[in-house]
């Protein structure tokens, strides 16, 4: 007798548990084999029975839990104990749990800023799911974690709300997709748009000034910052500052020590999306101040003299003035004999004549952004040089007349 043969096969060896039956069509026996028996390593059942070649197999719950099961096809003994032996063959089934039946839940955040590039969303794990399908807003992209319970989303190119955008997730496995989660609404907020930046300002010490910013947006908050040389830090109301959390920062009575400070404003939309203004500088000029007054001068005619003032201040300039009416009116001097250096700290007078006797002088010291100061009035006394108007003459006397 020819040897018995057995060929165990299934239409599909990847089976969705609970739902699918295993179709053993295609299995066969041959040679001198006349009958067959199906057996299982699990606890499922064959239909219509274990002796039908093209039977179906219904995996049990224990089979599903095990994940694999082996079905064995065995022929009868062709010669009843003679030299021929029964033939056997196996088919191994892989059992996949049925498609997920539990909804996942998406969590945080519900508010994002336009063009945010790394927003993380997570979902609850779904029993039997081997992967996760996410839907995200139009224009967004998943940059990391696709197919898992945690994804990173790039919102660049997503339109600003309203309307809100929707994110969903569903668990999947080899048997299909589970139910889609409830819609998770996400609001995409715009960044504040600055339409007018703060501008640089120049003031005199103790003066007042302000810095302002104009912004478009919704639910805006403001925070002004100062940089006095060691980086920007938040300003609080108090001292010279007010309006530190408004669109206009006010500075009252600025001291010279604030010269060179920088100011900027951070604007936040809906407590989430921030825009920072350009920095603006504050120049505080030192007021002109006289530390040494000019002094009166007494000279002889044709002599030279000068008047000097010592002053401090930012970018100060000088202008000397002359009074010929006893200090009632003063007029600015121009360079020209006998005067020189009329716009410096020292006024020079060369070869003074007696016509200058009794003149009075003062200097006005000015800064580009501060009030000017005027020195004390000083006088010039020009004395006449001694001059002989009648020379002595000789005399003749009679010696005889001398007693």
């Amino acid at each position: 007798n020819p040897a018995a043969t057995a060929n165990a096969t299934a239409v599909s060896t990847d089976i969705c548990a609970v739902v699918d039956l295993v179709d053993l069509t295609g299995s066969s026996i041959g040679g001198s084999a006349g009958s067959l028996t199906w057996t299982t390593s699990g606890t499922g059942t064959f239909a219509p029975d274990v002796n039908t070649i093209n039977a179906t197999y219904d995996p049990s719950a224990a089979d599903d839990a095990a994940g694999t099961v082996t079905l064995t096809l065995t022929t009868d003994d062709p010669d009843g104990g003679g030299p021929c032996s029964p033939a056997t063959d196996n088919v191994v089934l892989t059992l996949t749990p049925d498609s997920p039946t539990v909804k996942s839940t998406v969590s945080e955040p519900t508010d994002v800023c336009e063009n945010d590039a790394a927003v993380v969303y997570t979902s609850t794990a779904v029993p039997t799911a081997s992967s996760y399908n996410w839907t995200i807003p139009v224009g967004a992209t998943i940059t990391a974690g696709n197919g898992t319970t945690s994804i990173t989303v790039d919102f660049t190119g997503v339109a600003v709300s309203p309307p809100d955008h929707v994110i969903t997730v569903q668990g999947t496995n080899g048997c299909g997709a589970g139910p889609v989660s409830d819609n998770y609404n996400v609001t995409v907020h715009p960044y504040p748009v600055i339409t007018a930046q703060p501008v640089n300002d120049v003031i005199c010490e103790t003066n007042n000034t302000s810095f302002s910013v104009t912004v478009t947006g919704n639910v805006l908050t403001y925070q002004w910052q100062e940089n006095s040389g060691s980086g920007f830090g938040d300003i609080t109301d108090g001292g010279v500052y007010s309006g530190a959390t408004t669109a206009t920062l006010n500075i009252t009575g600025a001291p010279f020590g604030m010269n060179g400070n920088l100011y900027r404003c951070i604007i936040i939309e809906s407590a989430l999306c921030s825009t920072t203004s350009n920095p603006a500088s504050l120049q505080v000029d030192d007021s002109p101040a006289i530390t040494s007054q000019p002094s009166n001068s007494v000279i002889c005619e044709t002599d030279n003299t000068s008047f000097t003032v010592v002053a401090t201040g930012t970018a100060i300039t000088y202008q000397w003035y002359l009074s010929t009416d006893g200090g009632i009116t003063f007029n600015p001097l121009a360079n020209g004999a006998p005067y020189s250096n009329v716009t410096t700290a020292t006024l020079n007078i060369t070869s003074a004549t007696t016509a200058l006797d009794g003149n009075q002088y003062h200097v006005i010291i000015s800064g580009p952004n501060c009030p000017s100061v005027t020195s004390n009035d000083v006088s010039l006394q020009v004395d006449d040089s001694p001059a002989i108007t009648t020379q002595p003459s000789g005399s003749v006397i009679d010696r005889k007349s001398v007693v």
Side-chain angles (χ1 to χ4, degrees):
N1 294 327
T5 61
N7 177 35
T9 188
V11 172
S12 175
T13 57
D14 292 319
I15 308 301
C16 288
V18 179
V19 175
D20 289 348
L21 297 176
V22 181
D23 185 353
L24 300 176
T25 299
S27 300
S28 62
I29 60 173
S32 58
S35 61
L36 62 103
T37 301
W38 284 102
T39 58
T40 176
S41 63
T43 57
T45 58
F46 294 91
D49 52 53
V50 296
N51 304 120
T52 301
I53 188 63
N54 292 324
T56 58
Y57 181 74
D58 186 5
S60 66
D63 293 348
D64 295 341
T68 61
V69 66
T70 301
L71 304 184
T72 302
L73 174 62
T74 305
T75 68
D76 61 340
D77 185 350
D79 56 3
C84 296
S85 300
T88 62
D89 193 26
N90 298 323
V91 58
V92 178
L93 307 179
T94 300
L95 303 174
T96 301
D98 194 15
S99 59
T101 59
V102 177
K103 281 186 179 181
S104 183
T105 302
V106 181
S107 60
E108 293 299 341
T110 57
D111 296 274
V112 300
C113 296
E114 61 178 329
N115 300 325
D116 277 1
V119 183
V120 176
Y121 288 93
T122 59
S123 68
T124 54
V126 173
T128 74
S130 60
S131 183
Y132 294 83
N133 290 336
W134 292 84
T135 61
I136 58 175
V138 174
T141 56
I142 297 175
T143 59
N146 197 15
T148 72
T149 57
S150 179
I151 60 172
T152 302
V153 179
D154 183 353
F155 278 85
T156 302
V158 177
V160 170
S161 301
D164 284 348
H165 299 276
V166 172
I167 293 177
T168 64
V169 66
Q170 64 182 154
T172 67
N173 61 24
C175 294
V180 177
S181 67
D182 294 336
N183 287 348
Y184 192 75
N185 293 326
V186 176
T187 302
V188 179
H189 297 271
Y191 283 95
V193 177
I194 298 174
T195 57
Q197 296 279 355
V199 296
N200 301 335
D201 198 12
V202 180
I203 61 172
C204 187
E205 61 178 333
T206 74
N207 282 1
N208 305 331
T209 189
S210 63
F211 293 98
S212 294
V213 64
T214 304
V215 185
T216 60
N218 301 310
V219 196
L220 299 177
T221 59
Y222 301 84
Q223 177 62 64
W224 285 93
Q225 294 185 321
E226 172 193 46
N227 181 355
S228 57
S230 57
F232 281 97
D234 290 349
I235 297 172
T236 56
D237 287 345
V240 299
Y241 295 117
S242 61
T245 55
T246 71
T248 298
L249 173 69
N250 296 307
I251 301 175
T252 304
F256 178 68
M258 293 176 66
N259 181 48
N261 283 4
L262 297 176
Y263 296 89
R264 70 182 186 184
C265 188
I266 298 176
I267 306 97
I268 305 174
E269 200 272 1
S270 300
L272 182 67
C273 309
S274 66
T275 298
T276 302
S277 74
N278 295 338
S281 64
L282 176 62
Q283 177 182 324
V284 181
D285 286 354
D286 194 10
S287 297
I290 295 173
T291 58
S292 179
Q293 296 282 350
S295 301
N296 298 331
S297 180
V298 179
I299 62 173
C300 185
E301 63 177 328
T302 73
D303 282 353
N304 304 330
T305 189
S306 62
F307 297 104
T308 298
V309 68
V310 179
T312 60
T314 301
I316 55 177
T317 59
Y318 303 84
Q319 177 61 60
W320 287 91
Y321 286 76
L322 163 67
S323 174
T324 59
D325 57 6
I328 297 175
T329 59
F330 281 85
N331 295 300
L333 286 171
N335 286 324
Y339 301 110
S340 61
N341 295 329
V342 300
T343 56
T344 70
T346 298
L347 171 66
N348 293 316
I349 301 174
T350 305
S351 299
T353 65
T354 55
L356 302 183
D357 182 51
N359 283 0
Q360 293 189 17
Y361 302 88
H362 68 218
V363 62
I364 296 178
I365 304 164
S366 303
N369 302 290
C370 295
S372 60
V373 293
T374 303
S375 72
N376 296 340
D377 298 342
V378 291
S379 63
L380 174 61
Q381 177 182 326
V382 182
D383 291 345
D384 282 337
S385 298
I388 299 174
T389 57
T390 302
Q391 293 287 343
S393 61
S395 177
V396 179
I397 61 173
D398 186 350
R399 184 170 17 173
K400 291 179 179 182
S401 62
V402 177
V403 179

